[in-house]
Amino acid sequence: MKVKTILVSQPEPKMENSPYSKLIEKSKVKVDFRPFIHVEGETAKSVRQQKIDLNDFTAIILTSRNAVDHFFRIADEMRFKVPDSMKYFCQSEAVAYYLQKYVVYRKRKIYVGQRLFGDLIPMFKKYKDEKFLLPSSDTLKQQVPSVLDELNLNWKRGIFYKTVVSDLSDLRDVYYDVLVFFSPSGIESLLKNFPDFEQKDTRIAVFGNSTVKAATDAGLRIDIKAPTPENPSMTMALQKYISDVNK
């Protein structure tokens, strides 16, 4: 079965020369983008009910851009002026760079990991006496609390936003050759929107071990998988698969 159409369960990339543009050009396939999940912010009242007072913290742990946005939104709603002395521990350079939307970067104490949460461990050890706030969604990778607890840090998690299943009812009668997923939440959204979904000839592409597990647990057949040593990105895995089946 040749591949002509692909649905990626994420927003369309904003950069002009995204890897998907090259995939479309090289493989002559149609690629649509549609977020299967979206983020909704919690209210300041909800955060207060979690017994969180922003005055109590000297450091903020930021694992994503959503965490950055919703921390500063809640601070604004609570009329809390974030002090210049606040320390920011960012999981990656992308998160730290995004922080510039809200703070003057060179005037703040910002500590940056390489990519994985564990990369921050040396910095946490150096500043172990801080009072840490972790603004997060309602879903959190188990590694995050495990690392913070093992280091015996004074930390508290606050649910500042939540992941919500998007309404995909308009796609009920639309067929794609390949569906691409990047998180267990995307798989959950597919099954909640279409509880009677039958895979048949639809190819399922998944990124990451947790997504592989969610798809397998849901009884889906996985046809394309990334990252692998030969295909470290999803677009490379798609390109390889399409090259093989569209001969």
Side-chain angles (χ1 to χ4, degrees):
M1 291 286 290
K2 289 191 175 184
V3 171
K4 295 179 182 176
T5 57
I6 299 171
L7 179 63
V8 179
S9 60
Q10 283 190 328
E12 185 169 359
K14 290 179 181 172
M15 54 183 178
E16 284 182 24
N17 296 320
S18 83
Y20 287 101
S21 302
K22 294 170 187 169
L23 176 70
I24 293 165
E25 187 180 338
K26 189 171 181 181
S27 300
K28 303 292 185 283
V29 291
K30 181 177 186 284
V31 180
D32 290 338
F33 297 88
R34 177 70 177 272
F36 276 37
I37 54 174
H38 63 276
V39 165
E40 289 181 2
E42 292 287 4
T43 62
K45 180 182 177 183
S46 165
V47 173
R48 285 194 190 95
Q49 286 172 342
Q50 297 171 50
K51 295 185 169 53
I52 288 175
D53 181 346
L54 298 183
N55 290 292
D56 293 342
F57 303 96
T58 59
I60 311 295
I61 302 168
L62 300 165
T63 57
S64 69
R65 295 182 203 185
N66 280 325
V68 176
D69 280 335
H70 290 283
F71 167 71
F72 285 98
R73 176 185 61 80
I74 289 292
D76 190 52
E77 286 179 19
M78 289 182 166
R79 293 185 172 80
F80 173 75
K81 188 179 186 308
V82 182
D84 293 350
S85 59
M86 185 71 80
K87 294 182 175 69
Y88 301 93
F89 292 76
C90 302
Q91 181 168 324
S92 66
E93 282 188 12
V95 175
Y97 184 76
Y98 189 73
L99 189 57
Q100 293 183 88
K101 183 177 173 182
Y102 298 96
V103 302
V104 182
Y105 204 82
R106 58 190 168 79
K107 292 185 178 179
R108 297 294 183 271
K109 295 169 181 174
I110 298 168
Y111 310 94
V112 187
Q114 294 298 310
R115 188 174 62 88
L116 303 173
F117 190 74
D119 298 333
L120 285 169
I121 289 174
M123 286 161 259
F124 286 142
K125 285 180 176 177
K126 190 174 179 182
Y127 296 98
K128 62 180 186 300
D129 294 330
E130 302 294 335
K131 294 175 181 173
F132 293 92
L133 172 66
L134 173 73
S136 79
S137 78
D138 53 336
T139 57
L140 185 64
K141 288 182 180 175
Q142 184 52 46
Q143 183 205 14
V144 176
S146 296
V147 165
L148 299 174
D149 286 340
E150 281 169 21
L151 293 172
N152 216 15
L153 298 180
N154 181 353
W155 73 283
K156 182 161 187 175
R157 175 189 178 189
I159 297 175
F160 280 45
Y161 56 102
K162 57 189 174 187
T163 305
V164 180
V165 167
S166 301
D167 179 9
L168 307 174
S169 53
D170 57 304
L171 294 178
R172 173 161 292 280
D173 298 318
V174 183
Y175 177 82
Y176 287 91
D177 296 320
V178 180
L179 300 179
V180 183
F181 296 96
F182 290 87
S183 71
S185 303
I187 302 287
E188 180 192 352
S189 177
L190 172 73
L191 301 177
K192 279 196 175 175
N193 274 283
F194 311 110
D196 54 349
F197 176 76
E198 292 181 20
Q199 185 171 355
K200 296 181 180 175
D201 293 327
T202 303
R203 269 59 60 87
I204 300 286
V206 295
F207 190 92
N209 292 334
S210 60
T211 316
V212 168
K213 184 178 185 307
T216 304
D217 290 350
L220 298 173
R221 182 190 70 251
I222 297 171
D223 301 282
I224 305 160
K225 198 184 293 185
T228 63
E230 61 273 20
N231 296 311
S233 72
M234 177 53 78
T235 47
M236 289 174 73
L238 288 167
Q239 181 71 68
K240 171 75 169 63
Y241 182 83
I242 293 166
S243 299
D244 289 344
V245 299
N246 282 16
K247 281 178 182 173

